[in-house]
């Protein structure tokens, strides 16, 4: 891993994703890379606050680069696999689908048009995957969701087709519960998006933040702006 900038509280890292264990067995694009914004949490600071600080750097960088004007932002969420024989769970899953489950868990969801899709899994199980189109101003809220469940923020071309139908076959290959199945499925479809982003940080982690996966060409534009935003924005202040 290469550390490209470190301040007292914020670090920007960039690395190639080829060789990441979660992508083992996949053929990933040779120029696919990740950039992360890591925030060192002061004692007692909630993880959500650290994630919001990191998300703010990403949001302001996208706005400063004028990239947001060329993209559509989508929060994609994958539900847990369900067995039809578990009748109560199956009934609830079909009724609530992705969004009802999150609302029942008191997870705040950004506003925007919602879509969802049911897809078959092995052993007669099924799953749901959903998407919400959101504005750049809601990026922090969307990234908070990605820390709590199997969810990823995706940026696509404004006229791009709905991701869900192409995601379903890749998601159907998810085998291990708790694996980063959605991110892996999206990396398999990397030609259909400009970047993916998700938050990280759990429990008493010392560091929390966000990571962005995109082509080197995209990150070459975004990285210098992120360095500036990290050094001059409110997230740099103690």
């Amino acid at each position: 891993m290469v550390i490209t900038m470190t301040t007292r509280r914020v670090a920007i890292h960039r690395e190639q994703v080829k060789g990441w264990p979660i992508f083992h067995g996949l053929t990933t694009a040779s120029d696919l890379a990740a950039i992360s914004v890591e925030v060192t949490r002061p004692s007692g600071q909630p993880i959500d606050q650290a994630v919001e600080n990191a998300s703010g750097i990403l949001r302001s960088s996208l706005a400063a680069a004028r990239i947001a004007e060329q993209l559509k932002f989508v929060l994609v969420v994958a539900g847990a696999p369900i067995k039809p024989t578990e009748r109560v769970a199956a009934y609830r899953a079909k009724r609530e689908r992705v969004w009802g489950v999150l609302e029942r868990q008191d997870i705040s969801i950004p506003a925007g048009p919602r879509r969802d899709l049911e897809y078959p899994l092995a052993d007669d199980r099924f799953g749901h995957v959903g998407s919400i189109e959101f504005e750049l101003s809601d990026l922090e809220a969307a990234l908070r969701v990605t820390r709590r469940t199997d969810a990823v923020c995706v940026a696509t071309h404004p006229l791009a087709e709905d991701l869900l139908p192409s995601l379903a076959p890749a998601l159907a290959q998810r085998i291990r519960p708790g694996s980063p199945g959605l991110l892996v499925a999206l990396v398999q479809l990397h030609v259909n998006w400009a970047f993916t982003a998700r938050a990280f940080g759990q429990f008493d982690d010392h560091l929390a933040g966000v990571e962005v996966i995109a082509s080197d060409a995209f990150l070459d534009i975004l990285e210098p702006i992120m360095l500036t935003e990290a050094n001059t924005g409110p997230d740099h202040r103690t």
Side-chain angles (χ1 to χ4, degrees):
M1 177 177 288
V2 177
I3 303 176
T4 53
M5 184 280 293
T6 303
T7 71
R8 187 148 59 101
R9 287 193 53 207
V10 180
I12 307 292
H13 301 264
R14 181 169 170 179
E15 61 179 319
Q16 301 302 116
V17 302
K18 188 174 182 180
W20 280 17
I22 62 171
F23 301 139
H24 177 71
L26 292 184
T27 301
T28 58
S30 59
D31 68 338
L32 205 59
I35 194 167
S36 61
V37 184
E38 292 185 356
V39 175
T40 302
R41 294 197 300 137
S43 178
Q45 184 190 56
I47 286 182
D48 273 347
Q49 182 60 59
V51 168
E52 185 169 341
N53 291 344
S55 303
I57 292 174
L58 174 59
R59 175 180 48 76
S60 60
S61 299
L62 291 168
R66 305 186 70 85
I67 295 174
E69 302 169 0
Q70 309 164 33
L71 297 172
K72 174 172 66 176
F73 298 96
V74 184
L75 171 64
V76 184
V77 181
I82 300 293
K83 294 181 179 179
T85 52
E86 299 172 348
R87 295 188 178 183
V88 174
Y91 170 76
R92 175 175 283 178
K94 286 180 176 292
R95 183 187 64 186
E96 296 180 338
R97 306 184 82 85
V98 168
W99 309 116
V101 171
L102 296 186
E103 289 169 347
R104 179 163 49 82
Q105 295 172 350
D106 292 326
I107 296 178
S108 180
I109 303 168
R114 299 182 181 184
R115 296 180 177 85
D116 56 69
L117 178 69
E118 181 178 314
Y119 61 93
L121 290 162
D123 302 325
D124 295 324
R125 296 176 303 161
F126 66 91
H128 288 111
V129 60
S131 65
I132 291 181
E133 292 182 29
F134 64 90
E135 299 296 326
L136 179 61
S137 57
D138 284 331
L139 182 62
E140 285 94 331
L143 284 168
R144 281 198 298 270
V145 177
T146 70
R147 194 179 67 80
R148 288 177 164 81
T149 190
D150 192 5
V152 179
C153 292
V154 185
T156 69
H157 187 277
L159 300 179
E161 296 182 357
D162 184 4
L163 275 171
L164 300 190
S166 54
L167 262 178
L171 282 171
Q173 303 304 313
R174 291 190 306 165
I175 332 177
R176 304 184 311 276
S179 67
L182 182 57
L183 180 62
V184 172
L186 282 164
V187 166
Q188 290 179 273
L189 301 170
H190 64 86
V191 295
N192 295 339
W193 43 259
F195 72 81
T196 69
R198 64 176 185 173
F200 60 86
Q202 297 292 331
F203 306 111
D204 57 351
D205 287 353
H206 184 55
L207 298 174
V210 298
E211 63 183 10
V212 178
I213 296 178
S215 68
D216 277 317
F218 185 94
L219 295 183
D220 285 345
I221 296 171
L222 190 62
E223 183 177 17
I225 300 173
M226 291 178 72
L227 296 176
T228 300
E229 292 294 321
N231 275 304
T232 62
D235 307 295
H236 179 62
R237 297 197 295 264
T238 56

